[in-house]
Amino acid sequence: MIITSRRLILGATPALIAAPALAQPRWPVRPVQLLCPWAAGGGTDAVVRIIANLLEKELGQPFNVINRTGGSGVVGHAAIAQAAPDGYTLGMITAEICMLHWQGLTELTFRNYTPLALMNNDPPGIQVNVNAPYRDVGQLAEAIRTSRPGQLKSSGTGQGGIWHLALAGWLMAMRLPANHVRWVPSNGAAPAMQDLAAGGLDFTTNSVVEARAMLDANRARALAVMSNERLGAFPNIPTLKEAMNIDYATGAWRGIAGPLNIPAEARTTMNAALGRVFRSAEYSEFMNNRGFGMSYADADGFARHLAAADASLGDAMKAAGLARS
Amino acid sequence: MEPFLEGLRLVLATDVLIAILASAVYGLVVGSLPGLSATMATALLVPVTFWLSPIAAIATIITASAMAIFSGDIPGALLRIPGTPASAAYTDEAYALTRKGQAELALGAGLWFSAIGGIVGTISLMLLAPALAEIALSFSTYEYFWLALLGLMCATLVARSSPIKAIASMLLGLLIACIGMENPAGTPRFTFGIPDLLGGIEPIPALVGVFAVSEVMRAMAEAEPPKLPRRRFGSILANQWFLTKKYQFQMWRGNFVGIIIGVLPGAGADMAAWVSYAMAKKFSKEPEKFGTGHPEGLVEAGASNNASLASGWVPSLLFGIPGDTITAIAIGVLYMKGLNPGPTLFTERASSMYALYIIFILANIIMIPLGIMMIRAASTVLRAPRSAVMPVILLLCAVGSFATGNNLFAVLLVALFGVLGFVMEKNGYPVAALVLGIVMGSMLEQNFVTSLIKSDGDVLPFFERPVSSFLAALTFSALLWPLLAWIWMRLSRRRSPA
Amino acid sequence: MQVTDRITGGVLVALGAAAAWFGSRLPAVPGQDIGPAAFPMLIGFGLICCGALIALGVGQSFEAPEPAEPSSAPKPRLGAVGVIIPPALLLFYAYASETLGFLLTAFIMVLVAGLALGSRLSIAIPVAIGGPILVHLAFAKLLRVPLPQGLIPAPW
């Protein structure tokens, strides 16, 4: 049954894409593999699969998503960087590529990739229990300033994870020590949000989309979002800049990249195709339904983003005592 | 009544019914392949749901996962290859029945009591979702710590060997769970510079290795057992009706325990079967029969397992907190299709909610005829010569574990765990306890360490919160019970020398 | 591979000691009083205790001896040496499948295992051809697992 439905889809697509396929004769001429360093069913997997579906329509060749998991993302990221540079093995890289090497867990950095496009960015929010006394982020910031070091507790992911760094970066932007609030490591955002609702934590700094259901259930309240602009899916949450005039933005971003030295036509074709994918109605509908943040940069912009993110995440990790060396 | 009828109309649409039937067959096939889990079956369906209507999309996920979890018990019973860490609790029991020539009874019990558990769990979801959700939210890290400890103690209760060897196996599992950087400190431990070990040891390759590969290894050294005489067992269901009457109390207890444990995110699915199997043995009138092919534990654990799956949807649907990897995937699909989890799903979109309930019930009902067909078909494996079946199983172990992450390192792990499981079994160390240790290890450490971080190193909250004090008392009484029983036995023996 | 409890107990004591020793050398983490060292050390000490008790024979009385299954069927041709074949074949799969391709690797694997289990060539060869083809159809076509093509790519 599954096979038949796939055949139908594959059979139907060539008619739709015949025109663009003729315009791009040299690449791709056979199926392309898109590696995903995280497990099937997760957020990164969902984003890479919708991109693969839309690329298939754009370029007329199957884009097969392969989840290459293991080693906290190291294995999959390494597989993308070490793939044959023929343009037929690409993949999705995530914020972890700018964090793992600072911890001394891999030699890989963003310089081992040909960036193609930034496709998504989920900024962290600041969430409190619905019964917490803080009405806005300014009151919470004041409570943090007047607390003993380590008195307040926050969570959202594991030790040294992206949301831990978001907390460290926010505290440093307030000119406080990066570990002034005690980080409670959790096994992802969901248990942290559960513990927040159960009254075990003072606030969480995981992404707003991960907090969404608890916000909808009126068990938690969002005070601010650490991004430059308000989120399309959550227009009522102020940015840090608006709420307390702090210029601090970060996020868990995802982008498409390939190994170094892929053919020029693969790079230019993908650059243009990913732009069209990002602007397509299907992509924005999917991302908005899932609550994922829409954020785009073309190949050059993604390269600049990677360099900036690598530096700022490195600073946060050093300040929080999480970087090796 | 209005929303219910509307929900019924949503489900009875042609595309939804086709989706249910197709995903049922798909789930049964994928789940029965050794090494492939229900999670894998569900994850692979996600791209397909892009093209389906919202109700049909959710129906495929619900149906396929329920079917895959049941059919994961088929290789467990026939070949001693459990499909999930949960079914590892009773794999040996079901396999013992198979060796007594009663494979249909073992699998039929799995099917029948799974379906009942699933339906009872769904009814509890319909009637009690808000109350059950409060249970989930009253569990903080302190309570989870006690729960993990209680779960681990089941390993010693279930084992049919020396309790010290069971504890040693469990500790070995806990040590294996230490590998990697997925610990509260985020520090790589015991990785020996191998990047593949940074993420830790996945339970599936370990499970496949210690059960399936070690079974193939045993076959290499031992003579083929005599073929079972071919017998007809009559109706699979008639036998189950007899078991239902005989073990009715155990069945309800299993359902109840499964519903309660199932609503706890992150703990439920894996623990319910273990706790229920241990309870069945502990309170049984004939505990000595456990492990020798006795259906009592299968009844209770099977009922508990599937009840926990249904109630595991409560935190997912109300708060978007996944109970396990399957509901994590389902939450993604719910959002994608605009059925956002939250209390409004129960009020504003009540008809969709009723549609989900109806799909749950429907899936558990069609599971019975489809499952019977699957059992009849799969049982032919038992009549094939061992030298033809075992090599293909070995191949499935390799491909199935590779498929979990498309990573050949998993195949090496399977080989390694095969050797470990073989050596352990030969020397009387229960491998099920090892698996339980691997599964529960990170939960135990995570909740212990984070609890102490939150309390600034104070141990009092472990005992003073209402639920945690109850769980602590339960843990200590379970811990001290064997000791007290032993002392009492000694004393009474001395008083009346036989 | 059946050895005395003295040996398995001793191995557990050594393993526990190694775990505790390597665990104790893990660095502390800023902001956490209980670092990554605590759990491995605790488990290590537990293993040392259990290992010692097992080596001393405590708890032996609980063990039910496995019922020996009398069988008149002939023993597999390799005897006890055969047990290393399954893990060896898995290693072969892990290292050879990328170059040889799935179908050829699986053919060799199933054939060798079948022969080692005492199968006749007239059965082993059809199984070694048919099994991998069915597995490839299920995994590569139905489940879209990227099985390597190698020397003999699948014709479908």
Side-chain angles (χ1 to χ4, degrees):
Chain A
M1 197 46 80
I2 302 301
I3 293 176
T4 7
S5 63
R6 278 208 177 105
R7 274 208 195 120
L8 281 175
I9 295 156
L10 292 181
T13 34
L16 296 173
I17 45 66
L22 288 175
Q24 302 288 349
R26 280 188 292 179
W27 186 94
V29 293
R30 56 187 172 89
V32 181
Q33 290 192 335
L34 274 183
L35 301 183
C36 171
W38 302 98
T44 305
D45 180 63
V47 176
V48 75
R49 280 184 196 274
I50 187 73
I51 292 174
N53 268 315
L54 298 173
L55 281 175
E56 205 162 306
K57 277 191 199 170
E58 286 286 336
L59 299 174
Q61 286 288 343
F63 277 71
N64 298 320
V65 175
I66 292 169
N67 302 87
R68 183 70 59 88
T69 61
S72 283
V74 173
V75 172
H77 277 110
I80 300 168
Q82 290 155 8
D86 54 7
Y88 289 96
T89 305
L90 307 170
M92 177 155 265
I93 60 175
T94 59
E96 280 73 14
I97 195 61
C98 294
M99 297 161 57
L100 292 163
H101 71 98
W102 292 108
Q103 291 165 281
L105 296 173
T106 175
E107 300 282 300
L108 285 176
T109 68
F110 69 95
R111 291 183 196 85
N112 297 77
Y113 299 91
T114 306
L116 294 170
L118 176 72
M119 296 301 281
N120 147 248
N121 183 24
D122 290 322
I126 299 170
Q127 291 84 224
V128 296
N129 187 302
V130 74
N131 298 318
Y134 321 110
R135 302 314 311 168
D136 55 47
V137 73
Q139 290 180 5
L140 176 66
E142 200 44 46
I144 293 173
R145 275 206 187 88
T146 51
S147 68
R148 299 180 269 111
Q151 184 187 355
L152 292 185
K153 312 286 189 291
S154 175
S155 185
T157 185
Q159 180 87 2
I162 180 83
W163 309 135
H164 186 186
L165 300 183
L167 170 72
W170 180 45
L171 292 174
M172 288 195 303
M174 295 199 302
R175 306 197 182 288
L176 286 169
N179 52 5
H180 188 75
V181 171
R182 181 71 62 89
W183 186 255
V184 180
S186 73
N187 203 353
M193 286 308 296
Q194 189 202 353
D195 210 12
L196 184 76
L201 298 166
D202 295 297
F203 63 101
T204 61
T205 53
N206 48 279
S207 69
V208 186
V209 48
E210 290 165 317
R212 186 183 195 186
M214 278 292 181
L215 299 175
D216 289 348
N218 204 24
R219 300 278 175 163
R221 211 140 34 85
L223 300 182
V225 56
M226 300 187 204
S227 67
N228 296 323
E229 287 147 38
R230 292 194 179 206
L231 298 175
F234 306 92
N236 296 326
I237 306 173
T239 65
L240 275 182
K241 177 91 178 160
E242 292 166 350
M244 50 189 299
N245 202 23
I246 281 182
D247 248 329
Y248 180 69
T250 181
W253 41 262
R254 304 175 173 116
I256 302 288
L260 288 177
N261 306 320
I262 57 171
E265 65 257 43
R267 187 174 178 272
T268 46
T269 308
M270 274 298 273
N271 190 18
L274 286 167
R276 289 197 297 275
V277 165
F278 185 84
R279 287 187 297 274
S280 69
E282 290 102 321
Y283 188 71
S284 54
E285 189 196 339
F286 176 88
M287 296 296 275
N288 284 332
N289 278 347
R290 288 291 302 256
F292 289 133
M294 300 276 288
S295 202
Y296 173 74
D298 63 4
D300 297 331
F302 188 28
R304 284 192 297 275
H305 168 89
L306 282 167
D310 194 67
S312 85
L313 288 169
D315 287 345
M317 296 186 83
K318 282 180 207 148
L322 294 162
R324 182 77 60 88
S325 82
Chain B
M1 209 53 198
E2 180 83 4
F4 176 79
L5 291 177
E6 175 65 16
L8 196 63
R9 199 186 59 76
L10 286 173
V11 176
L12 291 180
T14 324
D15 66 326
V16 178
L17 292 177
I18 291 174
I20 290 178
L21 203 63
S23 55
V25 175
Y26 164 85
L28 280 172
V29 172
V30 176
S32 68
L33 295 173
L36 281 189
S37 60
T39 307
M40 177 95 179
T42 319
L44 288 164
L45 275 181
V46 172
V48 180
T49 61
F50 287 173
W51 316 99
L52 301 176
S53 71
I55 297 295
I58 298 299
T60 55
I61 300 283
I62 292 173
T63 317
S65 63
M67 299 293 164
I69 285 176
F70 156 68
S71 75
D73 285 354
I74 295 176
L78 297 182
L79 306 162
R80 201 172 173 263
I81 307 171
T84 59
S87 59
Y90 50 81
T91 294
D92 277 339
E93 189 84 74
Y95 187 62
L97 272 170
T98 299
R99 288 203 297 186
K100 286 186 357 192
Q102 300 179 334
E104 273 98 341
L105 180 71
L107 284 169
L111 176 65
W112 177 249
F113 292 99
S114 293
I116 291 184
I119 290 171
V120 173
T122 307
I123 293 172
S124 78
L125 174 67
M126 283 166 77
L127 301 178
L128 301 170
L132 289 170
E134 291 308 317
I135 298 183
L137 282 192
S138 68
F139 266 64
S140 180
T141 52
Y142 306 101
E143 286 81 14
Y144 273 111
F145 167 75
W146 291 116
L147 199 67
L149 211 56
L150 270 174
L152 282 173
M153 286 168 59
C154 295
T156 53
L157 290 174
V158 168
R160 263 184 74 75
S161 69
S162 136
I164 298 177
K165 285 190 173 174
I167 293 172
S169 302
M170 186 197 81
L171 286 171
L172 198 59
L174 290 178
L175 187 63
I176 290 167
C178 283
I179 295 173
M181 56 176 288
E182 308 279 323
N183 53 62
T187 307
R189 293 190 300 206
F190 307 119
T191 54
F192 311 105
I194 302 169
D196 284 288
L197 284 177
L198 278 177
I201 305 278
E202 296 281 334
I204 293 291
L207 203 62
V208 171
V210 295
F211 281 100
V213 177
S214 74
E215 193 67 23
V216 179
M217 288 169 73
R218 248 186 310 281
M220 290 280 172
E222 284 164 14
E224 184 157 3
K227 273 274 157 286
L228 299 164
R230 195 171 170 175
R231 284 188 285 170
R232 289 296 298 178
F233 290 92
S235 163
I236 290 176
L237 287 182
N239 277 325
Q240 301 315 322
W241 186 238
F242 166 74
L243 285 180
T244 314
K245 279 190 291 188
K246 186 168 178 198
Y247 296 121
Q248 209 192 74
F249 176 69
Q250 281 88 335
M251 180 188 91
W252 289 113
R253 189 171 60 194
N255 283 333
F256 178 76
V257 168
I259 288 167
I260 297 294
I261 297 184
V263 296
L264 302 172
D270 284 339
M271 257 183 70
W274 281 92
V275 171
S276 284
Y277 186 78
M279 266 174 87
K281 185 174 178 184
K282 194 80 203 161
F283 296 116
S284 171
K285 290 192 198 78
E286 28 194 16
E288 71 284 351
K289 284 193 185 169
F290 275 70
T292 62
H294 182 56
E296 189 177 347
L298 291 180
V299 170
E300 183 154 352
S304 170
N305 199 357
N306 279 50
S308 79
L309 287 171
S311 70
W313 284 75
V314 169
S316 314
L317 292 172
L318 269 168
F319 307 119
I321 294 178
D324 53 26
T325 41
I326 293 173
T327 41
I329 296 166
I331 289 172
V333 175
L334 284 170
Y335 271 122
M336 197 168 74
K337 296 296 180 187
L339 294 167
N340 297 7
T344 50
L345 186 61
F346 290 75
T347 51
E348 286 165 26
R349 315 206 51 155
S351 56
S352 302
M353 204 54 227
Y354 277 106
L356 294 196
Y357 295 145
I358 295 166
I359 292 165
F360 268 111
I361 305 250
L362 209 58
N364 278 297
I365 290 173
I366 61 168
M367 184 157 117
I368 293 176
L370 290 176
I372 288 176
M373 283 173 359
M374 192 74 191
I375 291 172
R376 296 255 188 243
S379 302
T380 55
V381 167
L382 293 176
R383 286 188 281 276
R386 188 181 69 167
S387 58
V389 174
M390 287 291 180
V392 179
I393 289 176
L394 193 65
L395 180 64
L396 283 170
C397 292
V399 184
S401 55
F402 170 74
T404 55
N406 298 320
N407 191 342
L408 282 167
F409 185 73
V411 183
L412 296 182
L413 279 184
V414 168
L416 207 66
F417 275 100
V419 175
L420 181 68
F422 180 76
V423 173
M424 282 174 67
E425 295 244 294
K426 277 282 175 202
N427 292 292
Y429 292 85
V431 290
L434 177 90
V435 171
L436 189 66
I438 294 176
V439 175
M440 305 294 293
S442 65
M443 179 175 161
L444 186 73
E445 180 178 15
Q446 184 81 35
N447 289 300
F448 182 65
V449 172
T450 50
S451 296
L452 284 175
I453 290 175
K454 288 194 309 191
S455 69
D456 293 316
D458 188 0
V459 292
L460 264 185
F462 282 103
F463 301 97
E464 53 182 23
R465 296 168 54 101
V467 183
S468 67
S469 62
F470 170 71
L471 289 171
L474 211 60
T475 311
F476 279 108
S477 54
L479 203 64
L480 296 177
W481 175 252
L483 196 70
L484 292 175
W486 183 73
I487 293 170
W488 187 76
M489 208 171 70
R490 271 286 168 99
L491 287 177
S492 59
R493 203 181 290 167
R494 200 169 293 168
R495 241 177 284 146
S496 58
Chain C
M1 269 317 278
Q2 191 164 4
V3 289
T4 62
D5 279 357
R6 213 168 280 271
I7 296 176
T8 58
V11 169
L12 288 175
V13 171
L15 189 70
W21 165 245
F22 284 108
S24 70
R25 288 161 32 122
L26 288 166
V29 170
Q32 290 190 10
D33 300 325
I34 303 204
F39 246 67
M41 285 169 71
L42 203 64
I43 295 164
F45 288 124
L47 275 174
I48 293 174
C49 293
C50 284
L53 287 174
I54 290 164
L56 294 172
V58 177
Q60 242 166 4
S61 55
F62 287 89
E63 286 186 52
E66 280 286 307
E69 283 171 35
S71 170
S72 55
K75 283 245 169 193
R77 50 186 71 158
L78 289 166
V81 191
V83 296
I84 59 159
I85 288 177
L89 286 175
L90 287 171
L91 295 187
F92 170 72
Y93 182 90
Y95 288 109
S97 65
E98 292 273 289
T99 25
L100 295 183
F102 171 78
L103 287 177
L104 190 57
T105 318
F107 170 77
I108 297 171
M109 194 171 162
V110 174
L111 184 69
V112 171
L115 292 176
L117 280 163
S119 183
R120 274 172 295 140
L121 269 178
S122 59
I123 294 176
I125 288 179
V127 170
I129 292 170
I133 288 175
L134 286 178
V135 171
H136 189 276
L137 283 174
F139 280 79
K141 294 304 277 186
L142 177 65
L143 301 176
R144 296 244 163 153
V145 173
L147 296 174
Q149 299 260 322
L151 299 180
I152 308 177
W156 45 84

